[in-house]
Amino acid sequence: MTAQHIVRSYDEELKRLTNAIVEMGGSAESQLDQAIQAVAKRDSELAGRVVRNDSAIDQLEEVVQSQTVRLLALRQPVARDLRDILAAIKIASDIERIGDLAANIAKRAIALNQSAPVRPVAAVPRMGRLAQQAIKDVIDAYVEHDARKAIAVWQRDDDLDDLTSSLFRELLTYMMEDPRSISPCAHLLFIAKNIERIGDHATNIAETVHFLVIGQRPASARPKGDTSSYEVVEPPPDSGGAPEGRGDR
Amino acid sequence: MVAVLKAVEEQGTVYHVKPGGAGQALAVEEFCLWYGAKQALFDVTMAVEKGLVTALIGPSGCGKSTLLRSLNRMNDLIDGLRIGGRIAFGGADIYAPDCDVIALRKRMGMVFQKPNPFPMSIYENVIYPLRVDGINDRRMLAETAERALRGSALWEEVKDRLHESALGLSGGQQQRLCIARAIAGDPEVLLMDEPCSALDPVATSKIEELIEELAGHYTIVIVTHNMQQAARVSDNTAFMYLGKLIEYGETETVFTTPKLEKTQEYVTGRFG
């Protein structure tokens, strides 16, 4: 990218920091992948593994934090070096959250497997793939110091938001039609929301990469595509509204 | 070397100076300087904002000390020195034939790399500029000494031993004494040539604290090899390289998002 530092160990320390972030990103991506598979294939054992593996990402975050503290104390970084280090702390904390959300998806997969399969599960793998791609691309953008690639991830988050909103509507309708599905559908709602949140963390990372490369946050505010917060689905007039304690499982 | 020079030449200086609001103390215009056949400064143009702290940074031999010493004509005594361009102080060209160099230097206090107290008492050191002017009014001398020593944050440490030799002070105290001597003559500008490079970290912090306090009352131009120091104490930073002014602007920007890659490489420790 640029010239080397006069002190070579400084370069090596910065490189180690980047490597730790890349490793965290890779782990988060694979945790999400397996959590989604656990949902799609109703694999509780796999889900259990994902929950247990989350601590590995937490440990990596601690490594990143102690390295950044060390670099700040010993090197007094300025300009791009300083942004590099600040970016590493921020990105590590976003990835750590992604890991938590993936683990939560896995936990809910175990809960989902307690009840009969519901149709809207079919939308989850597609959402998962989008989120996974976003993590992969944004970590690539970080490694390559590519602000344009970061912005692309930032803009693509809309697609994930749209999918979340439509799955939300679908789940509401489904729950109204069959109250026995409320329990699995509620878990699915949270799974969808978790994936959507993972997308948001990827856009946070994209903003951090932009800051790292350009020195500023992206100029315009990203339009919020997820409208599920405002979503209302009216029960069909003939279904008589609220269930009268007949299918609470 | 030639290629680098060419690149720098084609680029021209990039400016993003923070204005002080009180106008310009010094205006350097297309200033060139030669030591014999060797050109040390190339078309330097920069305005020093009144009341602010301006830091000159750059690798050894970049011309920052030469530029500082040109501001009060300290280079005059060097054989074979030639200059081109103009330096204006308060609107008047300091290299004009009718410029009174002694009067000029009185308006600009100077602090050097190594503390250079005179072998006399602390008191006599401080009031030396007034003695030179033939002032003998005891009350005025005493008042000036106290004001200057308070101004340089040395008063509390030396008020009971004013008539002891200045050479008995520690390095940091000696440097603050030199600053007291520089401000005793009530100059408009303080020129500092690496004022902390011979001092320990505590004494360095005291001088930096002092610079912050003196800013506003005085216009300060400081040459420093310590980039963190430039970042901490100055309002504007001028980055020089191979005798040219590369980037001159707000210190915060120079150390967070410099406009030029060359500046970025220097402040992050990638060449020098």
Side-chain angles (χ1 to χ4, degrees):
Chain A
M1 168 197 71
T2 37
Q4 303 249 303
H5 282 98
I6 300 162
V7 182
R8 218 172 319 132
S9 58
Y10 190 0
D11 281 324
E12 284 160 15
E13 284 165 23
L14 285 173
K15 183 90 193 121
R16 269 209 293 282
L17 196 59
T18 308
N19 289 346
I21 295 287
V22 172
E23 196 183 338
M24 278 186 86
S27 305
E29 200 191 316
S30 113
Q31 282 282 87
L32 175 62
D33 180 45
Q34 292 180 39
I36 299 294
Q37 278 187 39
V39 174
K41 297 181 180 159
R42 298 177 66 80
D43 184 341
S44 296
E45 197 190 315
L46 179 60
R49 262 207 309 277
V50 172
V51 174
R52 284 192 299 279
N53 286 345
D54 184 43
S55 61
I57 294 180
D58 296 352
Q59 274 162 20
L60 273 172
E61 194 205 5
E62 272 168 36
V63 170
V64 168
Q65 281 187 347
S66 62
Q67 279 179 357
T68 52
V69 167
R70 194 186 133 83
L71 275 163
L72 287 172
L74 300 188
R75 306 290 185 190
Q76 285 115 39
V78 294
R80 193 181 293 144
D81 293 340
L82 178 58
R83 296 202 299 277
D84 234 322
I85 291 164
L86 292 179
I89 309 182
K90 289 204 70 176
I91 292 174
S93 108
D94 275 313
I95 298 177
E96 191 273 330
R97 287 298 300 146
I98 291 176
D100 289 348
L101 291 165
N104 187 268
I105 292 172
K107 276 184 201 157
R108 290 181 189 281
I110 296 170
L112 268 183
N113 293 347
Q114 314 288 316
S115 45
V118 285
R119 192 166 25 88
V121 167
V124 169
R126 216 171 118 217
M127 290 184 67
R129 270 197 303 278
L130 280 183
Q132 226 180 303
Q133 191 64 41
I135 299 171
K136 187 182 173 304
D137 288 351
V138 85
I139 296 295
D140 285 351
Y142 167 71
V143 173
E144 292 157 19
H145 280 214
D146 187 341
R148 209 174 292 170
K149 197 177 240 178
I151 286 297
V153 173
W154 193 61
Q155 283 162 343
R156 267 207 323 268
D157 190 51
D158 270 359
D159 300 345
L160 195 50
D161 289 347
D162 289 345
L163 276 179
T164 309
S165 300
S166 79
L167 180 60
F168 192 89
R169 277 193 303 273
E170 193 185 342
L171 285 168
L172 288 186
T173 315
Y174 206 77
M175 285 189 273
M176 261 180 287
E177 280 169 4
D178 181 4
R180 281 168 306 177
S181 72
I182 285 177
S183 181
C185 284
H187 283 301
L188 270 181
L189 275 180
F190 279 107
I191 287 173
K193 195 63 194 167
N194 284 346
I195 299 175
E196 192 264 329
R197 291 294 302 149
I198 288 173
D200 288 346
H201 284 291
T203 62
N204 281 351
I205 298 174
E207 286 171 15
T208 305
V209 171
H210 191 277
F211 165 74
L212 163 63
V213 180
I214 312 281
Q216 290 170 343
R217 313 233 130 235
S220 64
R222 196 182 65 82
K224 271 281 168 208
D226 172 23
T227 57
S228 67
S229 308
Y230 315 107
E231 211 66 68
V232 176
V233 175
E234 292 294 341
D238 55 330
S239 78
E244 289 147 5
R246 59 186 156 125
D248 203 20
R249 253 184 67 88
Chain B
M1 190 70 148
V2 174
V4 174
L5 270 177
K6 262 220 172 82
V8 170
E9 199 158 29
E10 282 156 12
Q11 181 69 58
T13 310
V14 170
Y15 298 94
H16 46 92
V17 181
K18 170 184 167 186
Q24 301 174 350
L26 286 153
V28 182
E29 289 160 21
E30 293 174 354
F31 191 74
C32 299
L33 185 144
W34 291 263
Y35 292 121
K38 188 185 179 305
Q39 188 166 1
L41 292 175
F42 296 78
D43 288 313
V44 173
T45 297
M46 68 182 281
V48 175
E49 294 289 316
K50 201 178 268 179
L52 297 189
V53 181
T54 302
L56 303 177
I57 63 168
S60 295
C62 72
K64 55 192 189 301
S65 285
T66 298
L67 179 60
L68 188 80
R69 283 151 182 274
S70 300
L71 297 178
N72 67 347
R73 295 187 53 174
M74 291 281 289
N75 289 328
D76 279 15
L77 299 174
I78 296 168
D79 282 340
L81 187 97
R82 276 188 307 129
I83 59 144
R86 200 166 166 272
I87 295 180
F89 179 36
D93 186 354
I94 64 167
Y95 285 93
D98 62 344
C99 175
D100 179 347
V101 179
I102 304 296
L104 171 76
R105 289 187 192 145
K106 275 189 192 158
R107 293 167 67 196
M108 294 196 202
M110 185 135 187
V111 179
F112 297 89
Q113 183 167 2
K114 276 203 180 145
N116 57 344
F118 302 141
M120 44 179 83
S121 73
I122 295 169
Y123 183 77
E124 285 299 325
N125 260 283
V126 181
I127 60 168
Y128 191 81
L130 283 76
R131 290 269 194 231
V132 171
D133 278 351
I135 295 170
N136 281 311
D137 178 348
R138 285 177 153 272
R139 234 185 76 190
M140 186 176 178
L141 292 176
E143 278 172 8
T144 304
E146 181 172 344
R147 175 182 58 80
L149 284 168
R150 281 190 190 280
S152 69
L154 194 59
W155 176 251
E156 292 302 325
E157 291 162 59
V158 301
K159 63 183 178 189
D160 300 324
R161 50 196 273 213
L162 287 175
H163 298 286
E164 290 173 24
S165 169
L167 302 179
L169 296 172
S170 73
Q173 287 173 328
Q174 287 187 2
Q175 193 63 308
R176 277 181 285 151
L177 178 64
C178 293
I179 293 175
R181 191 174 62 202
I183 62 182
D186 208 16
E188 293 155 54
V189 176
L190 275 179
L191 304 177
M192 300 184 164
D193 193 354
E194 297 182 42
C196 302
S197 60
L199 304 183
D200 72 80
V202 174
T204 298
S205 297
K206 285 187 181 161
I207 301 283
E208 287 181 9
E209 164 77 12
L210 183 55
I211 291 172
E212 276 180 39
E213 276 171 27
L214 294 175
H217 301 289
Y218 305 97
T219 303
I220 298 174
V221 184
I222 177 171
V223 164
T224 176
H225 274 307
N226 180 336
M227 278 184 283
Q228 265 76 33
Q229 179 168 72
R232 284 190 296 264
V233 303
S234 71
D235 299 289
N236 285 308
T237 296
F239 168 54
M240 297 181 67
Y241 184 57
L242 300 176
K244 300 198 161 138
L245 181 60
I246 308 299
E247 180 165 344
Y248 175 39
E250 192 176 7
T251 298
E252 194 184 316
T253 306
V254 169
F255 286 96
T256 53
T257 47
K259 307 285 183 206
L260 298 179
E261 192 57 35
K262 196 96 222 145
T263 316
Q264 172 111 252
E265 285 178 9
Y266 184 68
V267 299
T268 57
R270 285 185 162 84
F271 81 96

